[in-house]
Amino acid sequence: MVLNQKRKEDPMARQELEADAIELCQEMIRIPSVNFGDGKGDEKAMADYVVAKLAEAGIPAQIYESAPGRCNVIANIPGANSQRPGLVLHGHLDVVPADSQDWSVDPFSGEIRDGMIWGRGALDMKNMDAMILAIVRKWARTGYKPPRDLVLAFFADEEAGSIYGSRWMVKKHPEVFAKCSEAISEVGGFSVTVGGGKRLYFVEAAQKGIHWMKLTAHGRAGHGSMLNDANAVIALSEAIAKIGSHSWPQRYTKTVKVLFQKVAEATGKPFDLSDLRPLLKELGSTARMIGATLQNTANPTMLDAGYKANVIPQSASATIDGRFLPGFESELDATIREIIGPDIEIETLTRDIALEVDFEGDLVEAMCNALLTEDPEGIPVPYLMSGGTDNKALSELGIVGYGFSPLKLPADLDFMSLFHGVDERVPVEGLIFGLHVLENFLENC
């Protein structure tokens, strides 16, 4: 494997790039582009900010407003060879809510403390948005052209199903992505330090699918003081308890097999395809997410029943967050029905596809080479993500997507707990590392 070539550059230009990325990340965190779900969100201030920062570098951009305040930004970066298919480089502008009373700092301060940039969106995903903007602004200053055309897409509504973001763009404006064949976005290229101190860089090559469902039990309404053998609350409670305690069978996709083979090699531990779970302990806190990619999952998340203490309700309902592995959607659905029996009603609230792409080819090689150029001791590996990204929407246009927003992380940082968590933050040095990896990748892809 030949490592990517690094362009010779003025050290001052490198420092300017780094300072720009840090400042951009801080300033975007200070814009509270909170998505509350159920259509309640507003990305307009963030969209205006992105357009302004691109305009400062002479890069035109267009806002696509899918609903009042729900804004997507698109910009085109011409490449040296426009005959090649383009690459979509995308991020999202929205963040989940944050309660300041729970945080150590103001979640919308962008404060730098203990070598970290703190704030909602620091990891998910204004850090990547900042890296993208800093790189293309540097290119504009120096007159550099990447090897292929790039479409920069900053989407709305990723945190609530992408209805006003990538889904809407793919449906209403597919022409924006017409010449693109590949895409990269969030939650990939981050380091995980395994037993023995070796650093694996997890590149997202697969995502679980989603089936959110509402379960409803029907019974006989009545007075709370009387006997009732048709209590909907009891029927529902028994059903969701069975779901919560169900032991799902292990199902290993091709991505999972490659990841765990690499983990075994890096740690010197046995690789046993009959049961990969013993290797999870080598992954530290990341095991919570990776463990969920070894099987389908279904977690009860919401309950709704009754309206008065002395009234037995006629019905009771619960929301289940079901996630299925690529190729195992029907197994999830059939298992849920078998667990709860025929009398509980199932209504689909949200359904989305699973994704899995091969961890090979020129784009993957460019990602791996960029990581190794900045960290020669690193080990790039593919992984299956328990959640999802806007790559799902782009896949409807035949665009192959990966998660690649690189970060070098301290071995003791509980990275996964920071996504949507309290005290979300990103290491400054990790951000700088990722910035140079991303720039290297984009200049060699």
Side-chain angles (χ1 to χ4, degrees):
M1 181 179 291
V2 179
L3 296 186
N4 289 349
Q5 296 297 311
K6 297 179 70 174
R7 285 195 300 131
K8 292 182 179 179
E9 60 179 347
D10 183 347
M12 292 296 293
R14 182 182 178 93
Q15 292 176 14
E16 185 177 6
L17 171 67
E18 294 172 358
D20 197 29
I22 293 168
E23 184 176 15
L24 288 164
C25 186
Q26 290 180 281
E27 290 181 349
M28 284 191 282
I29 289 171
R30 293 170 188 147
I31 301 172
S33 50
V34 178
N35 189 340
F36 295 96
D38 297 323
K40 300 174 183 176
D42 189 340
E43 296 87 5
K44 186 161 193 318
M46 268 293 295
D48 289 342
Y49 176 86
V50 169
V51 170
K53 289 301 176 180
L54 290 171
E56 286 179 1
I59 301 171
Q62 182 174 348
I63 292 178
Y64 294 77
E65 192 169 17
S66 55
R70 309 315 302 270
C71 297
N72 304 273
V73 179
I74 301 294
N76 292 282
I77 308 296
N81 182 0
S82 292
Q83 300 304 309
R84 292 180 59 196
L87 175 74
V88 184
L89 183 56
H90 63 98
H92 60 82
L93 301 176
D94 58 327
V95 298
V96 297
D99 186 343
S100 60
Q101 294 182 350
D102 298 330
W103 284 56
S104 302
V105 302
D106 177 350
F108 299 104
S109 67
E111 179 180 336
I112 294 180
R113 179 192 293 187
D114 301 327
M116 307 264 190
I117 304 174
W118 296 61
R120 179 58 84 218
L123 282 174
D124 189 12
M125 63 171 295
K126 292 180 177 180
N127 64 323
M128 177 66 164
D129 294 338
M131 288 192 285
I132 293 170
L133 287 175
I135 290 168
V136 299
R137 280 158 57 89
K138 175 191 171 184
W139 288 349
R141 290 193 299 269
T142 60
Y144 175 78
K145 279 192 173 185
R148 63 198 293 192
D149 291 350
L150 302 178
V151 173
L152 308 187
F154 299 89
F155 292 124
D157 200 35
E158 192 274 343
E159 297 292 4
S162 304
I163 305 303
Y164 299 98
S166 60
R167 298 279 177 200
W168 185 83
M169 288 296 299
V170 163
K171 182 178 179 180
K172 298 294 186 179
H173 295 283
E175 73 281 357
V176 167
F177 314 105
K179 296 181 179 180
C180 296
S181 61
E182 296 167 316
I184 64 162
S185 186
E186 60 180 329
V187 201
F190 57 90
S191 66
V192 175
T193 303
V194 298
K198 294 185 179 179
R199 283 183 301 278
L200 275 57
Y201 286 89
F202 281 42
V203 177
E204 184 262 297
Q207 303 177 10
K208 293 181 83 172
I210 296 173
H211 187 186
W212 292 346
M213 58 197 91
K214 180 180 180 181
L215 307 186
T216 302
H218 299 279
R220 186 175 66 250
H223 198 289
S225 69
M226 299 182 184
L227 297 176
N228 189 321
D229 60 359
N231 188 317
V233 175
I234 293 173
L236 179 72
S237 299
E238 291 176 344
I240 62 175
K242 289 177 183 177
I243 292 173
S245 61
H246 181 68
S247 180
W248 292 87
Q250 299 288 286
R251 304 292 190 220
Y252 303 146
T253 70
K254 61 183 180 182
T255 301
V256 164
K257 292 175 184 177
V258 173
L259 168 61
F260 278 80
Q261 178 70 60
K262 294 290 188 181
V263 172
E265 291 172 0
T267 60
K269 302 295 184 180
F271 176 73
D272 181 1
L273 261 180
S274 66
D275 189 359
L276 296 177
R277 286 173 292 186
L279 284 169
L280 284 171
K281 64 178 180 290
E282 305 298 325
L283 300 178
S285 60
T286 310
R288 290 199 303 274
M289 189 268 284
I290 297 299
T293 68
L294 304 182
Q295 61 186 52
N296 287 340
T297 57
N299 284 309
T301 56
M302 298 172 66
L303 295 170
D304 184 14
Y307 55 89
K308 198 171 185 291
N310 63 348
V311 178
I312 297 173
Q314 186 171 350
S315 64
S317 63
T319 301
I320 306 295
D321 183 346
R323 307 280 176 147
F324 55 87
L325 298 166
F328 292 95
E329 179 176 7
S330 60
E331 182 179 78
L332 173 73
D333 294 345
T335 302
I336 293 294
R337 172 50 72 193
E338 181 182 351
I339 290 172
I340 67 176
D343 298 329
I344 304 291
E345 178 184 308
I346 301 178
E347 175 190 354
T348 293
L349 301 176
T350 299
R351 189 187 294 271
D352 204 354
I353 60 171
L355 290 179
E356 189 163 38
V357 297
D358 292 328
F359 194 63
E360 59 184 33
D362 292 343
L363 193 76
V364 169
E365 186 172 354
M367 286 188 279
C368 293
N369 285 344
L371 285 166
L372 293 174
T373 299
E374 296 298 325
D375 184 0
E377 296 180 355
I379 304 171
V381 298
Y383 86 101
L384 167 61
M385 184 184 178
S386 61
T389 72
D390 286 318
N391 277 333
K392 288 184 176 181
L394 294 176
S395 74
E396 297 176 14
L397 300 176
I399 295 173
V400 175
Y402 293 87
F404 191 67
S405 52
L407 287 170
K408 188 176 181 181
L409 301 169
D412 59 350
L413 182 67
D414 189 352
F415 180 59
M416 288 299 165
S417 72
L418 299 178
F419 283 86
H420 297 190
V422 172
D423 287 343
E424 182 180 350
R425 58 197 184 275
V426 63
V428 173
E429 290 302 319
L431 176 68
I432 290 173
F433 170 87
L435 176 68
H436 295 301
V437 171
L438 185 62
E439 181 184 30
N440 185 298
F441 163 72
L442 293 172
E443 292 183 353
N444 289 278
C445 70

